[in-house]
């Protein structure tokens, strides 16, 4: 029997990409869904398709960087369903393309607000409800860049390394306190989503014209690096949740890089620079 069947699962960033397909995969396995995103149109489409798969769905606009809004949302979901079993803190943004020397403070503020504090907000807001359910699970989405640092991705890497550290610390606390909550950190590799294009749109929304290097970087990601279909990634994640895995690596690239970093922790930055030059013609 599926460990998600009949469970109430909240998914942030459900309007597109991995979050959307997590909603579909959970719906197929019989979960009841609380879906949220800042993209109302995308969220509505996800909700409609999840309902068509037979799921009970509660959908709401949510900016995960807004702590008060996340706390209110968690209370609303718990009141709506009467219980919450799982939280998938998936919402995130790209937050890359500039060196530490060149990056504006706004890049760090926004990237950490969404990618790291969004995860912390979601975890803290939902955790009491998960404990009360007697069978909870926290699933926090980090990245391959949660253990691999790369040039021009300092804000993104800081956020995703932070998600990993926060989640692993949470797991130790749940074990030490004998709380009925499992904890998993997810490390996706190159998944075919709109994250590279979204980074360019975010820059334009701030009134910044993307540089030629940023445009070229997005093209390389879209054409060469983001290969795994999001539905496959979602299936791997939910399989990992059902198996109770504390670390869920998504894709061969994520597994290879994890092993490489563990094997040569002192030398991998040089290899990352070499990879950057090979992929993008610079480093």
């Amino acid at each position: 029997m599926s460990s998600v069947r009949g469970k109430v699962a909240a998914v942030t960033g459900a309007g597109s990409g991995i979050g959307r397909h997590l909603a579909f995969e959970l719906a197929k396995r019989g979960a009841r869904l609380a879906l949220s995103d800042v993209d109302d149109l995308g969220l509505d489409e996800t909700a409609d398709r999840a309902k068509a798969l037979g799921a009970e769905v509660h959908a709401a606009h949510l900016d995960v960087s807004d702590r008060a809004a996340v706390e209110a949302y968690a209370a609303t979901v718990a009141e709506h369903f009467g219980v919450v079993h799982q939280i998938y803190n998936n919402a995130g943004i790209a937050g890359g393309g500039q060196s530490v020397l060149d990056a504006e403070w706004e890049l760090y503020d926004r990237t950490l607000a969404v990618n790291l504090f969004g995860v912390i907000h979601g975890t803290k807001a939902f955790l009491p409800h998960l404990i009360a359910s007697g069978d909870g699970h926290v699933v926090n989405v980090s990245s391959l860049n949660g253990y691999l640092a790369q040039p021009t991705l300092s804000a993104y890497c800081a956020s995703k390394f932070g998600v990993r550290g926060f989640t692993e610390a949470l797991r130790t606390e749940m074990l030490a306190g004998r709380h009925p909550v499992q904890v998993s950190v997810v490390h996706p590799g190159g998944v075919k989503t709109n994250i590279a294009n979204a980074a360019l749109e975010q820059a334009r929304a701030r009134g910044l014209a993307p540089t030629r290097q940023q445009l070229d970087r997005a093209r390389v990601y879209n054409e060469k690096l983001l290969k795994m279909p999001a539905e496959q990634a979602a299936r791997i994640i939910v399989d990992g949740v059902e198996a109770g895995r504390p670390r869920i690596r998504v894709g061969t690239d994520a597994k290879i890089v994890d092993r490489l970093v563990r094997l040569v922790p002192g030398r991998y930055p040089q290899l990352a620079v070499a990879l950057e030059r090979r992929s993008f013609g610079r480093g």
Side-chain angles (χ1 to χ4, degrees):
M1 180 176 290
S2 169
S3 67
V4 302
R5 184 169 300 280
K7 301 291 178 61
V8 175
V11 182
T12 67
S16 63
I18 292 175
R20 167 172 285 183
H21 288 279
L22 278 173
F24 298 161
E25 189 65 28
L26 290 164
K28 292 174 186 175
R29 302 193 195 197
R32 294 178 286 166
L33 301 176
L35 307 179
S36 62
D37 205 301
V38 293
D39 175 6
D40 294 328
L41 291 177
L43 178 63
D44 288 344
E45 181 179 347
T46 300
D48 289 343
R49 290 172 62 181
K51 290 174 184 176
L53 292 170
E56 178 185 353
V57 177
H58 175 279
H61 179 95
L62 180 67
D63 178 353
V64 297
S65 70
D66 184 336
R67 182 187 306 165
V70 176
E71 290 174 341
Y73 173 68
T76 297
V77 171
E79 181 178 2
H80 178 85
F81 288 102
V83 65
V84 187
H85 301 93
Q86 299 179 348
I87 173 65
Y88 293 76
N89 287 305
N90 162 78
I93 59 177
Q98 293 179 299
S99 71
V100 175
L101 280 172
D102 295 334
E104 300 290 339
W105 282 111
E106 183 182 0
L107 174 68
Y108 291 99
D109 291 341
R110 183 58 180 161
T111 304
L112 293 172
V114 175
N115 290 2
L116 178 56
F117 279 96
V119 168
I120 296 172
H121 294 161
T123 299
K124 283 185 62 64
F126 278 95
L127 190 57
H129 303 296
L130 306 190
I131 293 173
S133 78
D135 186 18
H137 205 133
V138 175
V139 185
N140 291 337
V141 178
S142 177
S143 167
L144 175 152
N145 290 117
Y147 43 74
L148 172 75
Q150 291 179 261
T152 76
L153 292 178
S154 61
Y156 187 74
C157 290
S159 69
K160 294 303 186 177
F161 269 73
V163 168
R164 174 187 167 191
F166 171 77
T167 306
E168 292 182 353
L170 173 67
R171 185 165 186 267
T172 66
E173 292 177 2
M174 294 299 99
L175 291 170
R178 293 186 173 86
H179 296 295
V181 177
Q182 296 187 74
V183 180
S184 299
V185 60
V186 180
H187 295 281
V191 178
K192 188 177 284 296
T193 69
N194 196 46
I195 190 167
N197 293 333
L200 299 179
E201 293 305 317
Q202 290 161 13
R204 293 187 180 103
R206 298 197 307 270
L208 303 175
T211 66
R212 171 51 56 186
Q213 288 183 339
Q214 290 169 332
L215 291 170
D216 288 344
R217 187 180 190 91
R219 177 182 55 77
V220 171
Y221 267 96
N222 288 329
E223 295 179 1
K224 297 181 179 180
L225 301 179
L226 304 181
K227 291 296 187 181
M228 177 181 285
E231 55 265 34
Q232 181 181 353
R235 190 161 55 248
I236 291 170
I237 292 169
V238 181
D239 283 347
V241 169
E242 293 197 310
R245 296 191 188 104
R247 180 179 291 185
I248 303 170
R249 297 170 300 173
V250 181
T252 301
D253 51 353
K255 295 176 182 178
I256 291 174
V257 168
D258 185 24
R259 290 170 187 159
L260 176 66
V261 170
R262 290 168 185 266
L263 183 64
V264 287
R267 288 191 56 215
Y268 93 79
Q270 295 171 302
L271 299 175
V273 170
L275 176 63
E276 182 83 4
R277 288 172 176 157
R278 179 179 177 182
S279 299
F280 306 106
R282 57 188 177 83

